[in-house]
Structures are given as structure tokens and as C-alpha cells.
Amino acid sequence: MLVKTVFAGFGGQGVLSMGLNLTQAAMMEGKHVTYLPSYGAEVRGGTANCTVAVSNEEIASPVASSPEFVIAMNLPSLVRFQNQIESGGVLLFDASLVETEVSRGDIEVVGIPATDLANKIGSPKSANMVMLGAFIKKSNLVSLDSVIEGLKSTFKGKPDLVTINEQALRTGYDLL
Amino acid sequence: MSIVTKVLMTGNAAIGEAAIRAGCQCYFGYPITPQNELTEHMAANLSRRKGCAFVQAESEIAAINMVYGASLAGVRVMTSSSSPGISLKQEGISYLAACELPAVIVNMSRGGPGLGSISASQSDYFQATRGGGHGDYRTPVLAPSSVQELADLTHRAFDLADKYLTPVLILGDGILGQMMEPVEFRHEAPEVPPVRSNALRGAKGRPSRIVKTFTSNPSTLEELNWSLFRRYQVIKQAEVTYDTFMVDDARLVVVAFGIAARIAKGAVKTARIEGLKVGLLRPVTLWPFPAAKIRKLAEDVKQFLVFEMNMGQMLEDVQLALEGSAEVSFYGRTGGVIPTPSEVLRVIARLYHQKGLHR
Amino acid sequence: MKKIYSRPKSLKKTAFHYCPGCGHSIIHRIMTELIDEMDLQDKIIGIPPPGCSVFAYNYFDIDMAESAHGRGAAVATGMKRAYPEGIIFTYQGDGDLAAIGTAETVHAANRGENITVIFVNNAVYGMTGGQMAPTTLVGQKTTTTPYGRDERMEGNALRISEMLALVKGVAYIERVAVNSPTNIRKAKKAIRKAFQAQIDGLGFSMVEVLSPCPTNWRMDEPEAWQWVSDVMAKEFPLGVLKDVTGESHAS
């Protein structure tokens, strides 16, 4: 089993932390995992993306030329990555921000109103965690518990942040 | 689960952390993508340690000469950069080699020539393995292929540098530097790192000491070159390191290093599932090069495929090693293009069938 | 009988290779006197440059290491950071410090590196045979300005000490000359002050020494020594350009 996921969006939407949280959880579950962010001049234009590969065995390449999952938090990311998704793969996007018609019939397209849901729970900044929750449910790559455990170590000494993010995660997770 | 001691880190930060734990006392660097996280790790973590120093230099040239100064003073010292910056450092690396001064130099290489791209590449192989700067010298070159190995080989680089009194290169690339993987550090940083015994620290209780190469007598310099090369022979005997994967019954062996070896390994695994008898040799030391091992493999294997992220540089070392005893093909992507395992698999499968190895 | 004059302990018993009338041997002499007087031999490390003074380590009986051309200030930085208890000086010519090594010099000064730079300005590249230096005077003939330095084509003599005096990290800069007994005494006093600034941890200290080069100036020795005062010192006025040592002592 080797699954590659691309998280993409505007800088500030927390796409890199989505990837990092998944990576952390996979590591805690003893899986092989790599995390590769976009870097350099590419990220200075305001968009960011990262690729996470999770596997039961050694990972050959941390790069995804045809990821199984793409999480698009904005329209440019959806446009850029939708054609790269492996046939049979899944595209998740923030339906609160992106109105789109995906032209491919060989992938599953899932719109999650992540930003609206995040606003609803009073934490507009945690749309990424809502999205991650939905992705965890959809992909079943790691358990929700592992992601929450990971959050606790990331936000050590900041219990408020753990609570907010956990709530957002569960909101997305319970949606699907 | 053995995972508890592992931490998630970028390759760049892992080198920095491993260096600190290896007793690196001074780091001098200059910003360049894709290795900035290493410089930043040292700024955050080395500068506050007792007796340690971090300087963001005004140039790569200044940084490598600061390395030279700190090595003269007898401490473990490191600098890092990426391809264009490593070109600038060559002057200083030549002086370090000439004056027999240990130092660790990290190249998280990127696409070239020129300003090139910031994406991963392996096109600095020649520069790394042929000395790189002016004069008659070589430097040991270590080529890791994972974040864990970056950390482990950083430790080894410092040990090699001290043991053989030479600068040692770690040749990584943009992906290894940027990617995060779980990594485990097996050493704790020493409280007070030791000072090398032949350091320049003032003529206290001993005659004054000079470190220099310049001479008006060419035969003096020839003797220095001979003594360096005698040491290089010892390194060649003692320090060759490589990894093999499924070579025992292989009819085709892929030779690849660093990130390319990792991609190739993925391709080899799939080829095996498809019934192709393919193996992998991964040089971990690029200099000294595992020439004897390759020659030995050629007793049974008549087809080699060299795969690199350049236009064919290590290829020449494989050809030299084989001395015509087996056929060598080459596949490369360059400029910062990252080939996929399935792309390499296609090349392997095509070659395998073209050469009739399936029969 | 009281002995009032002898070879400094830190000056090796080797005959200088420098040309007759050259300033280097005088500068070596006063520096080694100071190393003795200030009791620095067991902790001082010198970094001579490629150039006429590349063999300085044959004369100074102290720890020394060669440097790549122009990189003295960077080498000294690395050394001082690794070994802060050491007293580190570079000994650099005008081409070394003010052309190829300008960046290293300016930034070491700006970081306030606690090192001492002895900057020997003879307005010419000596060892390579008398080419134009950044400090060559307008009109001065060298092998690469055979018709005299033309400011429209080759620029003006670069006043590095004045430039560096503007830099905050600098503790002390003085320009001196070694072309008369009086000037030599002043030069020694200045170098003492520079070393003391480093010992006191005050930051970057530099002494620029105007030094005669009869060979490449195509002059006889008295003529060259006179030229330092009559011509060179007009472009490069002698004196203290920056001194915060007093301030620091007062505070």
C-alpha cells in the first residue's frame, strides 16, 4: 500500500499543517511516511502545496506525479492538480470557496463546505482541520485518534488550540 | 512500537541536529535555496550553545574561509550550501585539503548550470568527486538517500574528516533537504567538544607552528601531494561503502546514488514482482567509489544501467570500474526534473527485453 | 652594562627577503616588539596574505596560517569565533584587503569582529610585479597603468580607512606611515592600541600603514620614503579616523 496525497491552497490556509498533521499521525502509527513541501520562489507567489506519501514499506519517491488524493483549498489549486489525480482517485475541495465543475469522470469529487463549517463552530481559521477530518474519514489512511494525539504534541502547552482543532477535525470527520 | 524516539524533521534540519550532536562547534553559512532550513536550524540551536558559534556570512566565499579559520583553531566545523554556492566555496575547499584541515561541507544540490533551478539534481557529481577546486586533491563524498541517512552520515562525515584530516562532502539534493521523514538521533551532543591536538592556539609551551602550503620549492609541494595521495589510498582501502538490493541472481543491475537510488529501488521492487531479475547497487561513498564491487558483480552480471539525475557523470566511474567487462546503459533526467519510479521501471523493462535478458 | 636593544623574542633569526627600503620589515619588527612587550606570543595567531608578505611566517615566531587572497578577515572571524581567547590579527596588503577582499573586510568590521587588521598600503601590487592597486594614486604609473592612473577609466585611490570609520562595529582605526623614526614610533603606538582594543574586547581594530615600495615605484630608497610624506600622505592623510577605546574605558 502506497498512498500519495497533495494538499494545496493559498499561503495562510494551513495546507502545510494539514500535511504535517497527517505525516505526524502516520509516523506515530509506525508507518513509512514522507512529507515534501513546495519551496523557494514557487511559494512566494502566495500558493503553497505539500505532498505526503504513506506506505507500509519503504517509500521510493516523496514526489507525487499522480496522487491518489488531492485536497484543494482554492480554485488555482483545483485547476492545477485535478488533471494529475490518478484514475480512480479522489479530489476534495473547499466548497465554501470554490465553485467548480470538474471535467473528469474517472475521479471522485467531494465538496466539503470547510470554511462555512469552521465559521459555524466559531473558528474561521480551522477550515483546514475540518478538511483534514473529512480526508481522514474518506482515506482511512490513519486513525482520527492518531491525528488528535499528534495535535497534542504539536500544540504542547496550548490546550485551547488543541480543543479548537480537535473540534474542527471531528466536524469534518463526522460529515462523511 | 519503536517509534517513540523518532521525530519528524526536514533533511536539512536533521543534518544540523546531527552535526550539533557530533560536536560541531561552529557553523558558517549563507542563504540559498534549497538548504536554508539547515542554516536556520544552526542559527536557532547552535548559536546558544556554550562555546559554539554561528555566523551568517556575507558570501559563500567568506563562509568557507570562516570554516578554514575555525578548523585551524581545532574545532569541528561545518558549512552548507547548494550548487552555485558550492562553486564559490571551491577555493576554500582546496585550501582545506591542502592544509589538511578537517571540515564538513554539505551540498543540497539543485539544477544547473548557472543559476539553474531550485529543484533537486545530481549534476554536481563531477565537481564533488574530482576535488572541485584547483590543485591535486580529492575529498571523501557521502551520498545519503533518506533523512535518517542524512543524520547518520553527518556523524560519519565529522569522524572521517578528523580521522583523515580532510574536508568531507555530503552530497544531497533539494528533495532530501526539503522533505520530512521520521528520524532518530543516536547520539547526545558532547558537553565540551574536544579541541584537535594540532590546532593553532598560540605558541604556548611549544614552538610556534605554521600552517601553509605556499612554497618556492616545487619538490616540497610535490611531497605534500604525495603524502595526500598516500592517505587517499588508505581511504580507498578502508572507507568504501555501498548498499546492494537483490543483486544475487540479477541479470541487470541498476547503479544509482542518493535520491535517484531511492527512486530506482522502487522501480526494481516492481520489476521483481513482474519477474524481471533486476538488482540495485547504491554507492554511499561516491569517492572513494565502490569500483571493486562493481567489477566483482560483473563476473555474473553482463548488463548494467546507470541512472542519475544528470547527463551521465557517475556513469564514467562505472565504466572505469567495469573496464569493458560488461555492457553499460544510461538513463538520466536533468535540470531539476524528478523522474518517477514507474518511468525508471519502463526503462528497466525495455532494456531487459532489448538485451534478451528474459530468455 | 645595561642592554637596551636586542632582537625581539618573537622575531625569528632569519634575514628578511624584502627589498631594500621596503616597509614590511619595519612593520614586522615593531609588531614583534609589541608581541613581546604585551606578552602575547602564547596566544596570538597571525594570518598573512598572498603578496609580498606571504612569507611573514618565516619571521614572526608565533602561530600563523596562510589565507586565500583577500579572505583574511573571514579566516580571522572563523578563528576568533572558535577560539575567543586567542588574539587574532590579519596582515594584509592593499590589493588583498581593498580589492579582492573588500567584502570580507567590510563585513568583519560591520559585525564588530574582535580582531585586528594590519593593512599595509603601498599603492601597488608588489609581489606580482607592480600592477595598479585600488589605492594607486591618480596619475601614478604602474605596469597596468603605464600612462598613469586615469580616474575616468580606472577610478580613484580608494580610502578604505575613511570608509570603515563610518561602520558602527569598528572600535579603532588609525592611519600611520613607516617612513621616518617619528612615524615609526607613532605606528608602533597605533598597533599597540589596536591589539589592546582586541584584548579589551572592543571590536574591530585596524591600522593602515603607508609603506614605501621603492622597487615598484621605480625610486631609490630616500626618494620613496620622501614620496610617502610628500605625495601619498596627501591622498591618505595620517591620523586617527575612529577611536571609541577612550569612550569605552570611560564608561
Side-chain angles (χ1 to χ4, degrees), chain B residues 202-204 208, chain C residues 7-12 26-47 56-57 59-64 87-91 116 118 188 191-196 198-199:
Chain B
K204 190 173 194 173
S208 62
Chain C
R7 173 184 289 274
K9 188 161 65 79
S10 54
L11 184 65
K12 286 177 183 167
I26 298 166
I27 303 167
H28 288 12
R29 164 84 204 194
I30 57 178
M31 286 182 73
T32 47
E33 284 177 8
L34 282 168
I35 290 166
D36 287 4
E37 290 164 20
M38 300 175 84
D39 197 17
L40 298 175
Q41 196 179 15
D42 64 355
K43 54 180 163 293
I44 198 163
I45 304 148
I47 301 161
Y57 41 63
Y59 312 120
F60 286 80
D61 194 3
I62 61 170
D63 280 5
M64 285 193 125
I87 300 301
I88 318 289
F89 74 89
T90 68
Y91 188 104
T116 300
I118 307 301
K188 183 172 173 182
I191 295 171
R192 179 191 294 275
K193 205 163 175 182
F195 280 149
Q196 193 59 48
Q198 183 179 168
I199 292 165

Short mmCIF file of all heavy atoms in Angstrom, two decimals, chain B residues 202-204 208, chain C residues 7-12 26-47 56-57 59-64 87-91 116 118 188 191-196 198-199:
data_model
loop_
_atom_site.label_atom_id
_atom_site.label_comp_id
_atom_site.label_asym_id
_atom_site.label_seq_id
_atom_site.Cartn_x
_atom_site.Cartn_y
_atom_site.Cartn_z
N GLY B 202 48.11 29.62 19.58
CA GLY B 202 49.18 30.35 20.23
C GLY B 202 50.29 29.40 20.65
O GLY B 202 50.03 28.25 21.01
N ALA B 203 51.52 29.91 20.59
CA ALA B 203 52.69 29.05 20.86
C ALA B 203 52.93 28.95 22.36
O ALA B 203 53.88 29.50 22.90
CB ALA B 203 53.91 29.60 20.13
N LYS B 204 52.03 28.24 23.03
CA LYS B 204 52.14 28.12 24.50
C LYS B 204 52.76 26.77 24.83
O LYS B 204 52.17 25.73 24.52
CB LYS B 204 50.75 28.24 25.12
CG LYS B 204 50.80 28.37 26.64
CD LYS B 204 49.42 28.66 27.18
CE LYS B 204 49.53 29.12 28.64
NZ LYS B 204 48.27 29.58 29.18
N SER B 208 56.43 27.71 17.93
CA SER B 208 55.36 28.26 17.09
C SER B 208 55.12 27.33 15.91
O SER B 208 55.99 26.57 15.51
CB SER B 208 55.72 29.65 16.60
OG SER B 208 56.88 29.59 15.79
N ARG C 7 67.16 41.80 19.48
CA ARG C 7 66.15 41.23 18.61
C ARG C 7 64.94 40.77 19.45
O ARG C 7 65.10 40.12 20.47
CB ARG C 7 66.75 40.02 17.91
CG ARG C 7 65.78 39.19 17.08
CD ARG C 7 66.48 37.98 16.51
NE ARG C 7 67.42 38.36 15.47
CZ ARG C 7 67.09 38.52 14.18
NH1 ARG C 7 65.86 38.32 13.78
NH2 ARG C 7 68.00 38.86 13.31
N PRO C 8 63.74 41.14 19.02
CA PRO C 8 62.57 40.67 19.79
C PRO C 8 62.54 39.15 19.82
O PRO C 8 62.92 38.49 18.85
CB PRO C 8 61.38 41.23 19.00
CG PRO C 8 61.93 42.34 18.17
CD PRO C 8 63.35 41.99 17.89
N LYS C 9 62.06 38.60 20.96
CA LYS C 9 61.97 37.16 21.14
C LYS C 9 61.08 36.53 20.07
O LYS C 9 61.34 35.42 19.60
CB LYS C 9 61.37 36.90 22.54
CG LYS C 9 61.36 35.47 23.00
CD LYS C 9 61.20 35.40 24.53
CE LYS C 9 59.84 35.92 25.03
NZ LYS C 9 58.70 35.03 24.91
N SER C 10 60.03 37.24 19.67
CA SER C 10 59.09 36.66 18.72
C SER C 10 59.46 36.97 17.26
O SER C 10 58.66 36.73 16.36
CB SER C 10 57.66 37.14 19.02
OG SER C 10 57.62 38.54 19.06
N LEU C 11 60.67 37.48 17.05
CA LEU C 11 61.17 37.67 15.69
C LEU C 11 62.25 36.62 15.42
O LEU C 11 63.26 36.55 16.12
CB LEU C 11 61.76 39.08 15.52
CG LEU C 11 62.23 39.46 14.12
CD1 LEU C 11 61.07 39.52 13.11
CD2 LEU C 11 62.93 40.83 14.14
N LYS C 12 61.98 35.76 14.42
CA LYS C 12 62.92 34.66 14.15
C LYS C 12 64.27 35.19 13.65
O LYS C 12 64.34 36.26 13.06
CB LYS C 12 62.33 33.72 13.10
CG LYS C 12 61.19 32.85 13.63
CD LYS C 12 60.61 31.99 12.51
CE LYS C 12 59.42 31.17 13.01
NZ LYS C 12 58.66 30.56 11.89
N ILE C 26 60.12 46.71 8.65
CA ILE C 26 59.96 47.63 9.78
C ILE C 26 58.68 47.28 10.55
O ILE C 26 58.66 47.23 11.78
CB ILE C 26 59.90 49.09 9.30
CG1 ILE C 26 61.20 49.45 8.59
CG2 ILE C 26 59.62 50.03 10.46
CD1 ILE C 26 61.11 50.72 7.78
N ILE C 27 57.61 47.03 9.78
CA ILE C 27 56.33 46.71 10.42
C ILE C 27 56.46 45.39 11.20
O ILE C 27 55.99 45.28 12.33
CB ILE C 27 55.20 46.63 9.37
CG1 ILE C 27 55.11 47.95 8.59
CG2 ILE C 27 53.87 46.33 10.03
CD1 ILE C 27 54.25 47.88 7.33
N HIS C 28 57.11 44.40 10.61
CA HIS C 28 57.33 43.13 11.32
C HIS C 28 58.07 43.37 12.63
O HIS C 28 57.73 42.84 13.68
CB HIS C 28 58.19 42.18 10.46
CG HIS C 28 57.49 41.58 9.27
ND1 HIS C 28 56.29 42.02 8.81
CD2 HIS C 28 57.86 40.56 8.43
CE1 HIS C 28 55.93 41.31 7.75
NE2 HIS C 28 56.87 40.41 7.50
N ARG C 29 59.08 44.21 12.52
CA ARG C 29 59.92 44.49 13.68
C ARG C 29 59.08 45.11 14.81
O ARG C 29 59.11 44.65 15.96
CB ARG C 29 61.05 45.43 13.24
CG ARG C 29 61.80 46.11 14.35
CD ARG C 29 62.89 45.23 14.90
NE ARG C 29 63.22 45.63 16.26
CZ ARG C 29 64.31 45.22 16.90
NH1 ARG C 29 65.15 44.39 16.29
NH2 ARG C 29 64.55 45.60 18.11
N ILE C 30 58.31 46.16 14.49
CA ILE C 30 57.57 46.81 15.59
C ILE C 30 56.46 45.90 16.11
O ILE C 30 56.15 45.90 17.30
CB ILE C 30 57.03 48.21 15.20
CG1 ILE C 30 56.13 48.16 13.97
CG2 ILE C 30 58.18 49.18 14.98
CD1 ILE C 30 55.54 49.54 13.59
N MET C 31 55.92 45.08 15.23
CA MET C 31 54.86 44.16 15.70
C MET C 31 55.43 43.11 16.65
O MET C 31 54.84 42.79 17.67
CB MET C 31 54.18 43.48 14.51
CG MET C 31 53.24 44.42 13.75
SD MET C 31 52.42 43.58 12.39
CE MET C 31 51.27 42.57 13.31
N THR C 32 56.61 42.58 16.30
CA THR C 32 57.18 41.55 17.19
C THR C 32 57.64 42.18 18.51
O THR C 32 57.54 41.54 19.56
CB THR C 32 58.33 40.80 16.49
OG1 THR C 32 59.22 41.73 15.88
CG2 THR C 32 57.80 39.84 15.44
N GLU C 33 58.10 43.40 18.45
CA GLU C 33 58.43 44.09 19.72
C GLU C 33 57.18 44.17 20.60
O GLU C 33 57.23 43.90 21.80
CB GLU C 33 58.93 45.53 19.43
CG GLU C 33 60.36 45.59 18.91
CD GLU C 33 60.80 47.02 18.55
OE1 GLU C 33 60.05 47.98 18.85
OE2 GLU C 33 61.88 47.15 17.98
N LEU C 34 56.07 44.52 19.95
CA LEU C 34 54.82 44.64 20.72
C LEU C 34 54.35 43.30 21.27
O LEU C 34 53.86 43.21 22.40
CB LEU C 34 53.72 45.24 19.83
CG LEU C 34 53.79 46.75 19.61
CD1 LEU C 34 52.85 47.17 18.50
CD2 LEU C 34 53.44 47.48 20.91
N ILE C 35 54.50 42.24 20.45
CA ILE C 35 54.09 40.91 20.91
C ILE C 35 54.87 40.53 22.17
O ILE C 35 54.32 39.99 23.13
CB ILE C 35 54.27 39.88 19.77
CG1 ILE C 35 53.22 40.13 18.68
CG2 ILE C 35 54.15 38.44 20.29
CD1 ILE C 35 53.49 39.41 17.36
N ASP C 36 56.16 40.89 22.18
CA ASP C 36 56.96 40.65 23.39
C ASP C 36 56.50 41.53 24.55
O ASP C 36 56.24 41.03 25.64
CB ASP C 36 58.44 40.96 23.10
CG ASP C 36 59.09 39.91 22.22
OD1 ASP C 36 58.37 38.99 21.77
OD2 ASP C 36 60.31 40.01 21.98
N GLU C 37 56.38 42.82 24.24
CA GLU C 37 56.06 43.76 25.32
C GLU C 37 54.68 43.49 25.93
O GLU C 37 54.48 43.68 27.12
CB GLU C 37 56.11 45.21 24.79
CG GLU C 37 57.54 45.67 24.46
CD GLU C 37 57.56 46.92 23.59
OE1 GLU C 37 56.53 47.64 23.55
OE2 GLU C 37 58.60 47.18 22.94
N MET C 38 53.77 43.06 25.10
CA MET C 38 52.40 42.82 25.58
C MET C 38 52.21 41.36 26.00
O MET C 38 51.10 40.96 26.36
CB MET C 38 51.37 43.22 24.51
CG MET C 38 51.47 44.69 24.12
SD MET C 38 50.35 45.12 22.74
CE MET C 38 48.82 45.41 23.64
N ASP C 39 53.27 40.58 25.91
CA ASP C 39 53.25 39.18 26.34
C ASP C 39 52.16 38.36 25.62
O ASP C 39 51.32 37.71 26.25
CB ASP C 39 53.06 39.12 27.86
CG ASP C 39 53.44 37.76 28.42
OD1 ASP C 39 54.16 37.01 27.71
OD2 ASP C 39 53.01 37.44 29.54
N LEU C 40 52.19 38.41 24.30
CA LEU C 40 51.12 37.79 23.52
C LEU C 40 51.53 36.50 22.80
O LEU C 40 50.69 35.82 22.22
CB LEU C 40 50.61 38.79 22.45
CG LEU C 40 49.99 40.08 22.95
CD1 LEU C 40 49.65 41.00 21.78
CD2 LEU C 40 48.76 39.82 23.79
N GLN C 41 52.83 36.17 22.85
CA GLN C 41 53.32 35.09 21.99
C GLN C 41 52.54 33.78 22.15
O GLN C 41 52.34 33.05 21.20
CB GLN C 41 54.81 34.85 22.26
CG GLN C 41 55.49 34.04 21.16
CD GLN C 41 56.98 33.83 21.44
OE1 GLN C 41 57.45 34.05 22.56
NE2 GLN C 41 57.72 33.41 20.42
N ASP C 42 52.09 33.51 23.38
CA ASP C 42 51.45 32.21 23.63
C ASP C 42 49.96 32.20 23.30
O ASP C 42 49.29 31.20 23.49
CB ASP C 42 51.69 31.76 25.07
CG ASP C 42 51.05 32.70 26.07
OD1 ASP C 42 50.49 33.74 25.64
OD2 ASP C 42 51.10 32.40 27.27
N LYS C 43 49.44 33.31 22.82
CA LYS C 43 48.01 33.30 22.46
C LYS C 43 47.70 34.04 21.17
O LYS C 43 46.54 34.13 20.78
CB LYS C 43 47.16 33.83 23.61
CG LYS C 43 47.54 35.19 24.14
CD LYS C 43 46.59 35.57 25.27
CE LYS C 43 47.11 36.69 26.13
NZ LYS C 43 48.31 36.32 26.93
N ILE C 44 48.73 34.53 20.49
CA ILE C 44 48.47 35.30 19.28
C ILE C 44 48.60 34.40 18.05
O ILE C 44 49.42 33.47 18.02
CB ILE C 44 49.41 36.53 19.18
CG1 ILE C 44 48.85 37.55 18.18
CG2 ILE C 44 50.83 36.11 18.81
CD1 ILE C 44 49.47 38.93 18.31
N ILE C 45 47.73 34.64 17.08
CA ILE C 45 47.79 33.91 15.82
C ILE C 45 47.68 34.92 14.69
O ILE C 45 46.79 35.78 14.69
CB ILE C 45 46.65 32.88 15.70
CG1 ILE C 45 46.69 31.93 16.90
CG2 ILE C 45 46.75 32.09 14.40
CD1 ILE C 45 45.34 31.43 17.32
N GLY C 46 48.60 34.83 13.73
CA GLY C 46 48.63 35.78 12.63
C GLY C 46 48.22 35.14 11.32
O GLY C 46 48.44 33.95 11.11
N ILE C 47 47.59 35.94 10.49
CA ILE C 47 47.14 35.45 9.18
C ILE C 47 47.69 36.37 8.10
O ILE C 47 47.12 37.42 7.82
CB ILE C 47 45.59 35.40 9.14
CG1 ILE C 47 45.08 34.49 10.25
CG2 ILE C 47 45.10 34.91 7.77
CD1 ILE C 47 43.62 34.71 10.59
N ALA C 56 55.62 36.02 5.79
CA ALA C 56 55.72 36.64 7.12
C ALA C 56 55.96 35.60 8.20
O ALA C 56 56.64 35.84 9.18
CB ALA C 56 54.44 37.44 7.42
N TYR C 57 55.38 34.38 7.97
CA TYR C 57 55.55 33.33 8.99
C TYR C 57 56.99 32.85 9.11
O TYR C 57 57.34 32.14 10.04
CB TYR C 57 54.60 32.15 8.74
CG TYR C 57 54.43 31.73 7.30
CD1 TYR C 57 55.51 31.23 6.56
CD2 TYR C 57 53.19 31.83 6.67
CE1 TYR C 57 55.35 30.84 5.24
CE2 TYR C 57 53.02 31.44 5.35
CZ TYR C 57 54.10 30.94 4.63
OH TYR C 57 53.95 30.56 3.33
N TYR C 59 59.30 34.94 9.66
CA TYR C 59 59.92 35.94 10.53
C TYR C 59 59.26 36.03 11.90
O TYR C 59 59.92 36.17 12.91
CB TYR C 59 59.89 37.32 9.83
CG TYR C 59 60.37 37.21 8.40
CD1 TYR C 59 59.56 37.56 7.32
CD2 TYR C 59 61.64 36.69 8.12
CE1 TYR C 59 60.00 37.41 6.02
CE2 TYR C 59 62.09 36.53 6.81
CZ TYR C 59 61.25 36.89 5.76
OH TYR C 59 61.69 36.72 4.48
N PHE C 60 57.92 35.98 11.92
CA PHE C 60 57.21 36.02 13.20
C PHE C 60 57.36 34.64 13.86
O PHE C 60 57.02 33.64 13.24
CB PHE C 60 55.71 36.28 12.98
CG PHE C 60 55.35 37.69 12.62
CD1 PHE C 60 55.49 38.14 11.31
CD2 PHE C 60 54.85 38.57 13.57
CE1 PHE C 60 55.13 39.44 10.95
CE2 PHE C 60 54.49 39.87 13.22
CZ PHE C 60 54.63 40.31 11.92
N ASP C 61 57.82 34.63 15.09
CA ASP C 61 57.91 33.34 15.80
C ASP C 61 56.63 33.14 16.62
O ASP C 61 56.64 33.10 17.85
CB ASP C 61 59.15 33.31 16.70
CG ASP C 61 59.46 31.89 17.17
OD1 ASP C 61 58.74 30.96 16.75
OD2 ASP C 61 60.41 31.73 17.95
N ILE C 62 55.53 33.05 15.90
CA ILE C 62 54.21 32.84 16.51
C ILE C 62 53.44 31.88 15.62
O ILE C 62 53.86 31.61 14.49
CB ILE C 62 53.41 34.17 16.65
CG1 ILE C 62 53.19 34.78 15.25
CG2 ILE C 62 54.14 35.14 17.56
CD1 ILE C 62 52.23 35.94 15.23
N ASP C 63 52.29 31.39 16.10
CA ASP C 63 51.43 30.56 15.26
C ASP C 63 50.89 31.41 14.10
O ASP C 63 50.38 32.51 14.31
CB ASP C 63 50.24 30.03 16.07
CG ASP C 63 50.61 28.82 16.91
OD1 ASP C 63 51.82 28.46 16.93
OD2 ASP C 63 49.70 28.21 17.53
N MET C 64 51.00 30.86 12.89
CA MET C 64 50.50 31.58 11.72
C MET C 64 49.93 30.60 10.71
O MET C 64 50.35 29.45 10.64
CB MET C 64 51.61 32.39 11.05
CG MET C 64 52.00 33.65 11.81
SD MET C 64 53.04 34.74 10.79
CE MET C 64 52.13 36.27 10.86
N ILE C 87 44.31 35.94 20.43
CA ILE C 87 44.45 37.28 19.86
C ILE C 87 44.77 37.07 18.38
O ILE C 87 45.80 36.49 18.02
CB ILE C 87 45.57 38.08 20.55
CG1 ILE C 87 45.26 38.23 22.05
CG2 ILE C 87 45.75 39.45 19.89
CD1 ILE C 87 43.95 38.92 22.36
N ILE C 88 43.86 37.51 17.53
CA ILE C 88 43.96 37.17 16.11
C ILE C 88 44.21 38.44 15.29
O ILE C 88 43.47 39.42 15.44
CB ILE C 88 42.64 36.52 15.60
CG1 ILE C 88 42.07 35.52 16.62
CG2 ILE C 88 42.85 35.89 14.23
CD1 ILE C 88 42.81 34.26 16.79
N PHE C 89 45.23 38.40 14.45
CA PHE C 89 45.41 39.53 13.53
C PHE C 89 45.60 39.04 12.11
O PHE C 89 46.10 37.95 11.88
CB PHE C 89 46.59 40.42 13.97
CG PHE C 89 47.96 39.84 13.71
CD1 PHE C 89 48.61 40.06 12.49
CD2 PHE C 89 48.62 39.08 14.68
CE1 PHE C 89 49.88 39.54 12.26
CE2 PHE C 89 49.87 38.56 14.44
CZ PHE C 89 50.52 38.78 13.23
N THR C 90 45.14 39.87 11.18
CA THR C 90 45.47 39.63 9.78
C THR C 90 46.50 40.68 9.38
O THR C 90 46.56 41.77 9.96
CB THR C 90 44.25 39.78 8.85
OG1 THR C 90 43.85 41.15 8.82
CG2 THR C 90 43.09 38.90 9.31
N TYR C 91 47.29 40.32 8.41
CA TYR C 91 48.32 41.21 7.89
C TYR C 91 48.07 41.24 6.39
O TYR C 91 48.25 40.23 5.72
CB TYR C 91 49.69 40.62 8.23
CG TYR C 91 50.87 41.51 7.93
CD1 TYR C 91 51.53 42.18 8.96
CD2 TYR C 91 51.35 41.67 6.62
CE1 TYR C 91 52.63 42.98 8.70
CE2 TYR C 91 52.45 42.47 6.36
CZ TYR C 91 53.09 43.13 7.39
OH TYR C 91 54.18 43.92 7.13
N THR C 116 42.16 42.17 14.85
CA THR C 116 42.99 43.32 14.48
C THR C 116 43.51 43.14 13.06
O THR C 116 43.99 42.05 12.72
CB THR C 116 44.18 43.47 15.46
OG1 THR C 116 43.65 43.66 16.78
CG2 THR C 116 45.06 44.64 15.08
N ILE C 118 46.11 44.57 10.22
CA ILE C 118 47.23 45.44 9.86
C ILE C 118 47.20 45.55 8.34
O ILE C 118 47.40 44.56 7.62
CB ILE C 118 48.58 44.85 10.33
CG1 ILE C 118 48.54 44.51 11.83
CG2 ILE C 118 49.72 45.81 9.99
CD1 ILE C 118 48.24 45.68 12.76
N LYS C 188 53.97 52.19 15.88
CA LYS C 188 54.03 51.19 16.94
C LYS C 188 52.96 51.47 18.00
O LYS C 188 52.28 50.56 18.47
CB LYS C 188 55.43 51.17 17.57
CG LYS C 188 55.58 50.10 18.63
CD LYS C 188 57.00 49.96 19.10
CE LYS C 188 57.06 49.01 20.29
NZ LYS C 188 58.43 48.88 20.83
N ILE C 191 49.57 50.39 16.66
CA ILE C 191 49.35 48.94 16.64
C ILE C 191 49.13 48.42 18.07
O ILE C 191 48.31 47.55 18.32
CB ILE C 191 50.52 48.22 15.93
CG1 ILE C 191 50.55 48.63 14.45
CG2 ILE C 191 50.39 46.70 16.03
CD1 ILE C 191 51.77 48.18 13.67
N ARG C 192 49.86 49.00 19.01
CA ARG C 192 49.64 48.63 20.41
C ARG C 192 48.18 48.88 20.81
O ARG C 192 47.52 48.04 21.43
CB ARG C 192 50.57 49.43 21.34
CG ARG C 192 50.37 49.12 22.83
CD ARG C 192 51.10 50.11 23.73
NE ARG C 192 52.55 50.02 23.60
CZ ARG C 192 53.30 49.14 24.28
NH1 ARG C 192 52.74 48.28 25.10
NH2 ARG C 192 54.60 49.14 24.12
N LYS C 193 47.71 50.05 20.40
CA LYS C 193 46.34 50.43 20.75
C LYS C 193 45.33 49.47 20.10
O LYS C 193 44.32 49.10 20.71
CB LYS C 193 46.09 51.87 20.26
CG LYS C 193 45.01 52.55 21.03
CD LYS C 193 45.06 54.05 20.82
CE LYS C 193 43.89 54.70 21.51
NZ LYS C 193 43.85 56.15 21.32
N ALA C 194 45.65 49.06 18.86
CA ALA C 194 44.75 48.14 18.16
C ALA C 194 44.70 46.78 18.87
O ALA C 194 43.62 46.22 19.09
CB ALA C 194 45.21 47.96 16.71
N PHE C 195 45.87 46.26 19.23
CA PHE C 195 45.90 44.99 19.97
C PHE C 195 45.17 45.13 21.30
O PHE C 195 44.42 44.25 21.73
CB PHE C 195 47.35 44.55 20.24
CG PHE C 195 48.02 43.88 19.05
CD1 PHE C 195 49.40 44.00 18.87
CD2 PHE C 195 47.29 43.12 18.14
CE1 PHE C 195 50.03 43.38 17.79
CE2 PHE C 195 47.91 42.50 17.06
CZ PHE C 195 49.28 42.63 16.88
N GLN C 196 45.39 46.28 21.96
CA GLN C 196 44.75 46.47 23.26
C GLN C 196 43.22 46.50 23.12
O GLN C 196 42.50 45.97 23.96
CB GLN C 196 45.26 47.77 23.92
CG GLN C 196 44.88 47.89 25.39
CD GLN C 196 45.44 46.74 26.25
OE1 GLN C 196 46.63 46.40 26.15
NE2 GLN C 196 44.58 46.10 27.05
N GLN C 198 41.51 44.87 21.02
CA GLN C 198 41.07 43.47 20.91
C GLN C 198 41.11 42.77 22.28
O GLN C 198 40.16 42.07 22.65
CB GLN C 198 41.94 42.71 19.90
CG GLN C 198 41.45 41.28 19.71
CD GLN C 198 42.25 40.48 18.69
OE1 GLN C 198 42.09 39.28 18.62
NE2 GLN C 198 43.09 41.11 17.90
N ILE C 199 42.19 42.98 23.01
CA ILE C 199 42.30 42.37 24.34
C ILE C 199 41.13 42.80 25.22
O ILE C 199 40.56 42.01 25.96
CB ILE C 199 43.66 42.76 25.00
CG1 ILE C 199 44.81 42.10 24.23
CG2 ILE C 199 43.70 42.37 26.47
CD1 ILE C 199 46.18 42.68 24.52
#
